[in-house]
Amino acid sequence: MARITAGVATSHIPAVGAAIDLGKTGEDYWKPVFAGYEWTKAWEREQKPDVVILVYNDHASAFDMKVIPTFAIGCAEEFKPADEGWGPRPVPVVRGHPDLAWHIAQSCILDEFDMTIINEMDVDHGLTVPLSLVFGQPEQWPARIIPLAVNVVTYPPPTGNRCWALGEAIRRAVESFDEDLNVQVWGTGGMSHQLQGPRAGLINAEWDNCFLDRLEGDTDELRHIPHIEYLRETGSEGIEMVMWLIMRGALGPRTHTLHRHYHVPASNTAVGHIVLEPVE
Ligand SMILES: [Fe+2]
């Protein structure tokens, strides 16, 4: 049977992707950001996940005001890096896992989560920057990737509680897939940041670290944080953190932290990263 062996969460800041692509990771400004991912890179080389269910949000690359799916699952054979204005990132094409993706779509929909099924989609920095941070710059990504796009750009995004419950449904789906696969779930986005308005540049390190604290163990209090608290405490784009709760919900009732990293600044965003394993 397929099983979920670990969860990874990380910010997906576009400037981090640019730093990688332009060879700037050794610069003083960027060194402490990337240092926090060295442990994870080595760990992933041992873990060798077959599939990563990568929860992210699209930033008006694949979706725009014409189509705004709340939860969309990528069921295609492959997904090309999106052109976000400077040409596509020089990273490998993302290879999907259609059989597992369709199985998750079927299982979740029959489990009363109305997923949008996507068979053609380019993937932007929300998905490719986490891959670069965790897998480096390989010729080909070492795992199959199932993109799971969440609307956190246009109001209303899903609640944290709904995201957590979707994670639980994804776990049920994976565990009912009849193939021996090592599956990880990644949650991306965040941490605190606001890109516009009078509060642009807002960083709340205390709140961010409290959020990281509460991802571990058996508490599920994070699922009940209302949108207004994310907006007030972490800025308008901090709401991306609801996507981490899909990852957390997919790990089951109890987790243990394997690695954790927090750094400010990177661009105008706080960088947060955590690796969790489920505790049976
Ligand atoms: Fe984002």
Side-chain angles (χ1 to χ4, degrees):
M1 298 304 254
R3 60 203 171 88
I4 294 172
T5 57
V8 174
T10 177
S11 310
H12 60 213
I13 306 160
V16 166
I20 295 168
D21 300 342
L22 300 172
K24 294 182 175 178
T25 57
E27 293 183 359
D28 288 346
Y29 179 86
W30 289 111
K31 263 192 218 165
V33 173
F34 292 103
Y37 291 86
E38 289 305 315
W39 183 93
T40 313
K41 280 183 183 165
W43 172 79
E44 285 286 20
R45 283 193 287 272
E46 289 173 11
Q47 293 295 305
K48 297 185 174 62
D50 299 301
V51 182
V52 172
I53 299 168
L54 206 158
V55 182
Y56 77 110
N57 69 287
D58 177 79
H59 305 75
S61 302
F63 308 127
D64 56 24
M65 291 304 283
K66 284 187 279 191
V67 181
I68 308 173
T70 299
F71 298 120
I73 184 163
C75 295
E77 291 280 354
E78 62 176 39
F79 306 89
K80 293 194 178 67
D83 183 347
E84 298 179 65
W86 296 270
R89 287 193 63 216
V91 294
V93 168
V94 171
R95 294 174 304 150
H97 195 301
D99 286 350
L100 179 58
W102 275 100
H103 172 80
I104 292 170
Q106 173 180 307
S107 178
C108 285
I109 290 167
L110 297 181
D111 213 355
E112 302 182 347
F113 287 84
D114 306 318
M115 312 297 290
T116 299
I117 294 167
I118 305 286
N119 290 313
E120 190 178 329
M121 174 170 71
D122 290 349
V123 287
D124 70 11
H125 71 271
L127 184 131
T128 63
V129 166
L131 289 174
S132 299
L133 282 167
V134 172
F135 290 139
Q137 294 174 288
E139 287 286 303
Q140 190 169 75
W141 299 122
R144 301 281 174 162
I145 310 297
I146 297 177
L148 202 158
V150 180
N151 168 43
V152 291
V153 172
T154 304
Y155 189 83
T159 64
N161 188 49
R162 188 67 173 160
C163 288
W164 189 294
L166 176 61
E168 293 172 327
I170 288 170
R171 183 181 181 83
R172 290 191 287 274
V174 169
E175 289 180 345
S176 62
F177 188 68
D178 194 18
E179 192 180 326
D180 198 16
L181 293 175
N182 175 359
V183 179
Q184 295 185 354
V185 181
W186 296 9
T188 75
M191 297 194 89
S192 55
H193 62 303
Q194 173 148 343
L195 302 180
Q196 68 282 305
R199 298 204 310 162
L202 181 146
I203 301 285
N204 187 342
E206 189 182 346
W207 197 98
D208 287 344
N209 276 288
C210 187
F211 186 88
L212 289 167
D213 289 343
R214 291 182 291 173
L215 284 166
E216 181 175 51
D218 59 6
T219 175
D220 69 348
E221 62 194 67
L222 290 176
R223 69 194 293 171
H224 302 299
I225 297 171
H227 284 153
I228 193 70
E229 182 174 337
Y230 287 104
L231 296 174
R232 185 181 65 233
E233 300 296 330
T234 76
S236 51
E237 277 69 45
I239 193 69
E240 289 184 338
M241 275 182 273
V242 296
M243 295 186 288
W244 294 32
L245 302 183
I246 296 176
M247 176 278 290
R248 176 61 191 83
L251 296 182
R254 191 136 188 267
T255 61
H256 168 69
T257 302
L258 296 173
H259 175 65
R260 176 170 160 171
H261 170 53
Y262 186 79
H263 179 77
V264 175
S267 179
N268 46 6
T269 308
V271 175
H273 171 46
I274 195 164
V275 180
L276 298 168
E277 65 179 359
V279 178
E280 300 303 333

